[in-house]
Amino acid sequence: MTKARAPERHHHHHHQHAASTAASTPTATPNGRSFAPSMAGFLLIAMALVLCGLPDECTGQRESQLRLGKVVNVFLRYGYLSISMKVISYNDSERWLFKEPTNNVFKGLDLMRTEEYEVKPGIFNGDFHMEFCDNRRQLFQAYFRDFQIERLDSPWRAYTEGWHPEVAAKKLGIHAKYLERDDYCYVLVRVSRFRDSSRFAKPIPPNQTLEPEVARRVQGVVVGDTTSAVQFMNRYGTHYINAYVTGNSLYQVFVFNKRNYSHVKEKLKTRGVLAISKVDLYEHFAPWYVEHMGKIRCASGNATVEAWAARKLRHSYYVFTYSTLLKLHGDGALLRILSELLQNEAILQLDLRSLSIIFKEPAKRAWFEEILDNYLKLWEVNM
């Protein structure tokens, strides 16, 4: 599967167990984009994808379910997927996880599923991590690190490309001016609480049984006929849900000027989180050292949880009092409370795989993938 690519970034991360936070030695992981879509390009691609000649070509029984094997069309809301998936703080008090239209394509997938539901009650099943982002592109990428879309080099763009700076800033809990120019660097700190997870134990095989209508439509896709492939995508989708994790998280963005950012990044990269004292850590993420300290946000937009964080995660340092997620680091009592507050309200990880697997003939599968790749690249260029 194609992973997102970006300039070097450093991701300090550790899993939380038994309500205590023991930071791991930082590990470097590669992975991070820009704004405003070209409206002309957007309309051109949108028109190209709506090729259904008859009204019933684009209708039928559609659901909105976060279930393994369900098929979605990533072009339907490319750049705006966070509208239909609860993945980042939104001004929305409704309880929902997933609103993206889905289709049933496969049959007999039940035996391939592996699901876990709150396997160890009372234990903080999740992680606490910080990611160093040299620019806003890497900041967006960092937030969507665990969201994969096969055959898309930068899957995070499918969620963020339509964000205007004001919208992005509100979701991230910072002021828009810190996203309007490439003068700043960022550290994303996040604590996630995993609730439910589901994945396929093995890849869906090429000979997997299909719904009868789908099997008939597969025969209608002709190698060399672009329209037939695009119509199939419009009718059934482009990717199926291969895995997901749901739960909730708190996150906070620290904005730095380039000089201070380089200093902190190098220090943590060289010594690691474990080797730095809590006082030293607070020193480098204090109001006088960072350019701007973002608000603590909740991935589901739960105002009650955000209010708790603003109140309980306040830290007093000299004459300053401010809310910081770093207060959770090593505090078992606070983590036990947070473990109960972060319920199953957001999608934390999602893996979408190409629907090309439904084509048993290698030539037809390659043709479908070629068309899919072309359209994905067009969207990346035109947004």
Side-chain angles (χ1 to χ4, degrees), residues 42-51:
F42 178 87
L43 292 174
L44 174 67
I45 304 302
M47 289 172 62
L49 280 167
V50 184
L51 293 175

Side-chain angles (χ1 to χ4, degrees), residues 7 15 25 32 37 78 83 111 120 151 183 214 231 235 246 268 270 333 344 360 368 371:
H15 290 278
T25 303
Y78 181 92
I83 290 175
L111 296 176
K120 296 177 181 176
R151 309 194 74 81
D183 295 341
V214 178
Q231 283 183 331
R235 178 64 183 84
T246 57
L268 283 177
T270 307
N344 201 33
K360 295 179 176 63
F368 184 85
I371 299 302

Side-chain angles (χ1 to χ4, degrees), residues 35-179:
F35 290 100
S38 158
M39 187 52 68
F42 178 87
L43 292 174
L44 174 67
I45 304 302
M47 289 172 62
L49 280 167
V50 184
L51 293 175
C52 309
L54 300 172
D56 64 358
E57 284 289 301
C58 284
T59 59
Q61 293 300 314
R62 286 179 180 258
E63 306 169 295
S64 289
Q65 293 187 350
L66 183 62
R67 296 285 186 275
L68 293 192
K70 292 285 188 178
V71 178
V72 300
N73 183 348
V74 299
F75 297 123
L76 208 57
R77 261 174 285 278
Y78 181 92
Y80 301 89
L81 282 178
S82 60
I83 290 175
S84 56
M85 301 181 192
K86 186 66 73 71
V87 294
I88 192 168
S89 187
Y90 210 67
N91 288 337
D92 183 357
S93 58
E94 293 179 36
R95 288 294 186 89
W96 61 275
L97 274 176
F98 189 81
K99 290 182 178 179
E100 191 67 18
T102 59
N103 283 302
N104 288 318
V105 166
F106 301 102
K107 295 188 73 173
L109 293 176
D110 289 348
L111 296 176
M112 299 172 59
R113 295 188 177 117
T114 300
E115 298 177 317
E116 293 182 2
Y117 302 98
E118 272 309 306
V119 287
K120 296 177 181 176
I123 289 181
F124 193 97
N125 179 27
D127 68 25
F128 181 108
H129 69 258
M130 58 173 61
E131 295 202 47
F132 285 78
C133 312
D134 297 351
N135 50 52
R136 65 189 180 196
R137 177 174 59 92
Q138 289 185 9
L139 175 61
F140 292 172
Q141 183 183 12
Y143 189 89
F144 289 97
R145 167 129 1 262
D146 295 322
F147 291 77
Q148 299 299 329
I149 301 175
E150 189 176 19
R151 309 194 74 81
L152 193 58
D153 286 340
S154 304
W156 50 275
R157 295 176 67 173
Y159 295 87
T160 65
E161 204 70 351
W163 288 358
H164 190 272
E166 279 81 6
V167 172
K170 197 165 189 178
K171 290 179 182 295
L172 293 167
I174 60 178
H175 295 321
K177 69 177 183 178
Y178 296 110
L179 290 175

